[in-house]
Amino acid sequence: MGKTIAQKIIEAHLISGDMTPGSEIALKIDQTLTQDATGTMAYLEFETMGIPRVKTERSVAYVDHNTLQSGFENADDHRYLQTVAKKHGVWFSRPGNGICHQVHLERFGKPGKTLIGSDSHTPTGGGIGMLAFGAGGLDVAVAMGGGAYYINMPKMFKVNLTGTLRPFVTAKDISLELLRILSVKGGVGAIIEWGGEGILNLSVPERATITNMGTELGATTSIFPSDEVTRAFLAAEGRDEDFTPLSSDPDAVYDRVIDIDLSALRPMIACPHSPDNVVPVASLKGTKVDQVCIGSCTNSSLYDMLKVAALLKGRTISPSVSLSISPGSKQVLSMLADCGALSDILASGARVLECACGPCIGMGFSPNSAGVSLRTFNRNFEGRSGTRDAKVYLVSPETAVAAALTGEITDPMTLGEMPKVTMPERFKIDDSAVLAPAPEEEAASVEVLRGPNIKEFPKSKPFTDSLSAQLVLKVGDNITTDHIMPAGAKILPYRSNIPYLSKFCFEVCDPTFPSRAKEAGNGIVVGGSNYGQGSSREHAALVPMYLGIRCVLAKSFARIHVANLINAGILPLTFSNPEDYEKLNQGDALRLSGIESGMAAGVFTLVDKTNGAEIPVQCSLTERQKAILMAGGLLNYTKENGK
Ligand code: MIC
Ligand code: SF4
């Protein structure tokens, strides 16, 4: 039987396990990346493991999230990251050098390699034919130390593209169309391979827009073949030697095949507050817009920015719109400057922000009260922009410019002719903002600088055989990690200070949660389906653990979050009968007994002592995951097992 691209890469990196969908496999990881908001915790965990030097082929630490230095905290964290990277063999991409996924694609990504990153959009690397996964910081720390990365063997989906995109219809619209078809749960448990003749006209950055947005489908990852388009991109980056061709076998078997005709596609828009709330742009024509933001790891490549500049050239934005533009990397920004496109952008009235995540994670540029913001980003979760009642829509750069010019939602196809954009043959290569690690023989003398913002790592409690706990919070479906542990300019600088962060846990759902959880001592959270979708932030597990949450019972979980719960020593349970969700009420006293035997059998009975209900619940864990939980989390387990 033929193999898919992902199956070939998995086979070449398989350490243990068999490749039957659903069963746990261990993979060798070639490259890792971290960003600063999750990276501080990941390196603190790495240091605890006591391994002097990373064992990967390439590990890179980026600073792109916490670049707003409104106090000492972020600057201290940057110094910590720079010095810890230097000491342990990690390359350091300085603040200002760009967004991790964009820079990694430009300078480090290699077809056929495995990559894990402490950021859920690490699958961006699939645009260059990498098998790239988002993971919790602790999983990345373990991989840096040479340990395997564990996932359940995914199913294989294929999206076949036929036809050609019309002017003003873009890679982003393809992603939004797939979200409309599949929803934010549609990719769960699957790797999505993109193919068909329609991909031949998509450049690597356009492919990366698509694999980036695969995260919003809940997919394990997404991947494109490595072909002549990939070769040309690597050549333009001066990295011809990093090219390897990669394709699936003609008789490869897929669990699901979806066909999209590019010629029939129109500009699409995701409405508040979910990336799958997708309709054609034309259907919202005339909606007044207050703010437009162009950038983020989804749409900040040179090609995106050149199109934006060409559309803005000689025009002025609407006086009622505030437009921000954040180029994805120093390479992109400096090429825009060299060719004059930056002047066209500035002349239009846009505000140019630094090459970083910025508004995407609420790091500045929050919309006005109840403002309508059109963004070329990948997430529009409630409150994420920093303005609680803002309405955020997700669009392509072309649709963003159309709204910035007219002041209302406008189908870009009505703008007239799409100006021709020519891409340079070679990109401008300047790696001066990437610092090499110290040579091994000098590493011991490198001092790691820690600021007062770094607080002790919280300790989880190992399980005993029974657990009495209060149901401290009951929430509904599709709870995101932005609900559990919000980000934004006010909170994000405290990612290495769990006690401080804990004050904001579940703030969007119920601001009384932190004090009630602490008071309860032992707590259980009950959720609906797809609990924990979105970001890879392990803080969404570490902070509840710090507040005494011992178990989360949900209808279903998102992949990275459930791994983070286990790593933090929190027991993830699912309902055997989803309708039992209705029997549980916030405040109820719950009891779980026979934990060890329940874990072994994979089933327990949860007793609601308040109303007498007996609820069958499941935990389908591997032997390794059970051992991690019984040890009180992955850090304890790794220390005990020496790996
Ligand atoms: C995000 O887009 O939500 C983030 C911020 O990049 C996160 C990581 C984080 O919370 O630091 C992600 O996607 O994993
Ligand atoms: Fe940064 Fe936004 Fe991308 Fe997350 S989604 S890595 S915050 S640009």
Side-chain angles (χ1 to χ4, degrees):
M1 195 172 75
K3 295 193 184 77
T4 69
I5 301 172
Q7 285 165 341
K8 291 183 186 183
I9 304 181
I10 291 174
E11 198 173 56
H13 290 81
L14 195 66
I15 295 176
S16 65
D18 80 274
M19 288 171 56
T20 325
S23 70
E24 192 177 66
I25 52 169
L27 293 178
K28 178 185 174 296
I29 295 303
D30 302 320
Q31 297 191 348
T32 64
L33 70 79
T34 54
Q35 39 93 334
D36 49 334
T38 51
T40 45
M41 196 52 85
Y43 293 104
L44 288 168
E45 290 160 343
F46 180 77
E47 287 185 295
T48 317
M49 286 160 37
I51 297 169
R53 208 165 172 86
V54 296
K55 297 188 178 150
T56 46
E57 290 173 16
R58 173 82 74 179
S59 286
V60 190
Y62 294 91
V63 177
D64 51 4
H65 284 61
N66 272 325
T67 54
L68 199 71
Q69 289 153 230
S70 55
F72 65 89
E73 295 85 357
N74 292 341
D76 279 5
D77 284 354
H78 299 172
R79 286 200 323 166
Y80 167 67
L81 290 168
Q82 182 169 340
T83 50
V84 83
K86 186 170 181 188
K87 190 174 184 75
H88 295 289
V90 177
W91 294 75
F92 180 70
S93 169
R94 306 188 70 180
N97 193 43
I99 306 175
C100 56
H101 308 303
Q102 175 67 25
V103 178
H104 208 82
L105 203 65
E106 291 168 358
R107 307 303 306 141
F108 301 111
K110 289 188 191 178
K113 296 285 180 185
T114 52
L115 164 72
I116 67 169
S118 62
D119 190 281
S120 64
H121 290 103
T122 306
T124 312
I128 203 169
M130 298 193 95
L131 194 67
F133 307 97
L138 189 45
D139 283 326
V140 176
V142 169
M144 287 193 288
Y149 179 54
Y150 292 82
I151 54 166
N152 290 338
M153 180 68 198
K155 295 176 282 187
M156 299 291 143
F157 285 7
K158 171 100 185 256
V159 183
N160 259 324
L161 300 182
T162 53
T164 330
L165 290 172
R166 289 180 290 167
F168 294 105
V169 190
T170 69
K172 182 62 161 284
D173 301 300
I174 305 175
S175 298
L176 292 172
E177 171 67 1
L178 192 61
L179 273 154
R180 189 187 65 77
I181 299 171
L182 287 182
S183 91
V184 291
K185 290 180 253 179
V188 170
I191 293 183
I192 303 177
E193 179 182 314
W194 291 76
E197 91 235 4
I199 67 164
L200 301 177
N201 293 321
L202 295 175
S203 63
V204 164
E206 289 172 290
R207 294 174 177 190
T209 295
I210 292 174
T211 55
N212 173 286
M213 290 286 289
T215 299
E216 270 44 71
L217 295 159
T220 304
T221 189
S222 307
I223 192 163
F224 274 80
S226 172
D227 56 10
E228 288 311 307
V229 173
T230 325
R231 188 201 291 274
F233 176 80
L234 284 167
E237 286 288 347
R239 299 203 286 128
D240 310 65
E241 69 287 358
D242 289 345
F243 176 74
T244 351
L246 261 181
S247 57
S248 51
D249 294 329
D251 55 344
V253 179
Y254 298 89
D255 297 276
R256 182 164 178 189
V257 178
I258 296 160
D259 295 302
I260 298 181
D261 176 8
L262 299 183
S263 324
L265 212 60
R266 289 179 290 168
M268 306 298 275
I269 183 165
C271 303
H273 298 286
S274 182
D276 60 358
N277 201 358
V278 174
V279 296
V281 173
S283 69
L284 298 182
K285 178 178 181 294
T287 309
K288 201 183 149 312
V289 172
D290 300 292
Q291 183 192 67
V292 173
C293 303
I294 299 177
S296 92
C297 57
T298 318
N299 277 121
S300 61
S301 68
L302 181 66
Y303 182 54
D304 284 326
M305 294 294 157
L306 287 177
K307 286 189 299 178
V308 167
L311 284 167
L312 287 174
K313 190 177 171 123
R315 291 163 154 159
T316 311
I317 59 168
S318 159
S320 58
V321 171
S322 174
L323 169 66
S324 78
I325 304 216
S326 338
S329 66
K330 190 173 86 155
Q331 180 179 80
V332 173
L333 179 56
S334 99
M335 289 182 76
L336 286 176
D338 290 354
C339 73
L342 186 60
S343 305
D344 298 332
I345 292 175
L346 289 170
S348 73
R351 289 165 64 181
V352 177
L353 309 182
E354 74 176 322
C355 306
C357 301
C360 178
I361 192 60
M363 267 290 158
F365 222 79
S366 297
N368 53 292
S369 302
V372 168
S373 179
L374 256 62
R375 301 176 156 214
T376 66
F377 307 166
N378 47 38
R379 291 187 172 146
N380 57 348
F381 304 146
E382 199 169 0
R384 181 175 162 99
S385 66
T387 301
R388 207 164 166 172
D389 56 1
K391 295 183 200 66
V392 176
Y393 294 77
L394 306 175
V395 295
S396 70
E398 281 80 338
T399 305
V401 173
L405 292 172
T406 61
E408 51 186 53
I409 296 181
T410 305
D411 185 336
M413 287 177 124
T414 62
L415 285 185
E417 281 268 295
M418 177 68 201
K420 197 164 163 35
V421 167
T422 328
M423 286 294 286
E425 293 259 301
R426 308 280 296 180
F427 295 132
K428 186 172 169 185
I429 293 149
D430 167 11
D431 288 330
S432 56
V434 180
L435 307 181
E440 204 159 349
E441 55 288 1
E442 287 165 28
S445 63
V446 176
E447 189 196 348
V448 178
L449 303 173
R450 286 163 229 274
N453 193 35
I454 294 180
K455 294 282 182 278
E456 216 193 318
F457 189 80
K459 295 202 178 45
S460 55
K461 300 183 222 162
F463 282 99
T464 51
D465 207 43
S466 67
L467 172 71
S468 292
Q470 191 194 110
L471 196 173
V472 274
L473 186 71
K474 185 174 175 186
V475 287
D477 290 345
N478 292 326
I479 286 294
T480 70
T481 46
D482 278 272
H483 290 103
I484 308 170
M485 195 56 255
K490 294 192 200 87
I491 315 177
L492 213 47
Y494 299 95
R495 282 287 181 87
S496 12
N497 184 344
I498 300 288
Y500 183 82
L501 274 187
S502 72
K503 297 182 189 155
F504 305 93
C505 189
F506 277 112
E507 197 190 29
V508 192
C509 305
D510 178 354
T512 68
F513 172 79
S515 55
R516 291 191 300 101
K518 263 193 165 161
E519 203 176 310
N522 282 331
I524 293 185
V525 171
V526 170
S529 56
N530 201 22
Y531 181 89
Q533 68 156 326
S535 151
S536 66
R537 59 189 75 145
E538 59 187 330
H539 305 76
L542 292 175
V543 172
M545 179 265 274
Y546 170 81
L547 289 171
I549 300 302
R550 309 298 308 282
C551 161
V552 178
L553 169 61
K555 290 183 188 167
S556 65
F557 288 96
R559 179 186 73 89
I560 306 178
H561 187 61
V562 77
N564 285 338
L565 287 175
I566 296 168
N567 288 353
I570 296 179
L571 180 63
L573 296 174
T574 50
F575 288 97
S576 304
N577 313 310
E579 53 290 1
D580 284 341
Y581 170 88
E582 305 303 335
K583 295 186 184 154
L584 295 169
N585 299 306
Q586 194 162 304
D588 287 358
L590 307 179
R591 186 168 169 83
L592 206 55
S593 3
I595 293 192
E596 201 156 355
S597 54
M599 266 199 221
V603 284
F604 302 83
T605 304
L606 178 78
V607 179
D608 186 327
K609 294 201 294 190
T610 308
N611 61 19
E614 291 195 0
I615 295 170
V617 294
Q618 298 177 349
C619 76
S620 34
L621 301 172
T622 63
E623 291 308 316
R624 190 187 67 94
Q625 290 170 328
K626 289 174 203 164
I628 292 174
L629 282 167
M630 291 316 279
L634 181 59
L635 213 47
N636 290 350
Y637 172 83
T638 309
K639 280 191 224 152
E640 282 167 20
N641 291 270
K643 58 181 177 190

